[in-house]
Amino acid sequence: MLPLEASNQGFIFGPGITSASSYCPTSIGTGCPVGNQTVFTADGGAMDVEVPGGQQVYVAPNGALSYTQAHSISYPPGSQFGVVSGTGGELVYAGANGTAGWIACPLPASTFSPPLNYIYQLYANVPSHPTRDPKDGAIFVCYPVTLLLDAYSGGFGAWQYT
């Protein structure tokens, strides 16, 4: 099993991905949460963050599991809220029109610096998920995945996820 990590308002996993992308202002000082793990609220509908206003979890129109930027309620038109839940030790997607489940689709190695291979982004299993690499047109092979939740009792997961 590989940990799912928050990164760039999406969720990724794979070898070489060892922590979440997070930020805490220097003015908070030693009061900053560690921020190296991806932590959802108990119901799965938001990120467990300390930043005022929080960060909501949603499914973007292309199916990407996403979260709002801190201090913003902005999201793409057509996004789905309230379709992700923490149920029975799993993070569950139950979307519109009977769609359900998660898939993992590969990211191009060049997405990272230095380049990393075998990194996947998480998507809801919807018809609009990406099927081709936007750079070279190569067909993506996406895989069904199950997301298991571990109990977390360490306070907030991060000040904010980036």
Side-chain angles (χ1 to χ4, degrees):
M1 288 192 301
L2 294 169
L4 181 69
E5 300 297 1
S7 178
N8 198 30
Q9 275 70 58
F11 295 89
I12 61 174
F13 66 92
I17 304 299
T18 57
S19 74
S21 297
S22 64
Y23 167 78
C24 188
T26 55
S27 62
I28 304 300
T30 59
C32 285
V34 176
N36 62 352
Q37 293 181 325
T38 298
V39 182
F40 294 90
T41 56
D43 67 2
M47 304 305 291
D48 194 6
V49 294
E50 193 167 0
V51 68
Q55 291 181 276
Q56 300 302 305
V57 172
Y58 64 93
V59 173
N62 71 350
L65 181 62
S66 306
Y67 52 93
T68 56
Q69 175 62 42
H71 309 291
S72 174
I73 58 168
S74 179
Y75 53 88
S79 296
Q80 300 176 56
F81 285 84
V83 294
V84 177
S85 62
T87 305
E90 289 186 30
L91 191 66
V92 175
Y93 166 71
N97 303 321
T99 57
W102 302 108
I103 56 173
C105 299
L107 287 171
S110 60
T111 303
F112 303 92
S113 181
L116 294 173
N117 289 310
Y118 308 109
I119 306 300
Y120 293 83
Q121 183 168 0
L122 186 68
Y123 291 87
N125 190 14
V126 297
S128 57
H129 73 77
T131 57
R132 293 188 177 274
D133 184 325
K135 291 184 181 177
D136 65 12
I139 295 175
F140 283 144
V141 176
C142 300
Y143 302 93
V145 294
T146 299
L147 300 179
L148 302 177
L149 297 173
D150 287 334
Y152 181 80
S153 59
F156 291 107
W159 174 264
Q160 76 181 58
Y161 292 103
T162 58

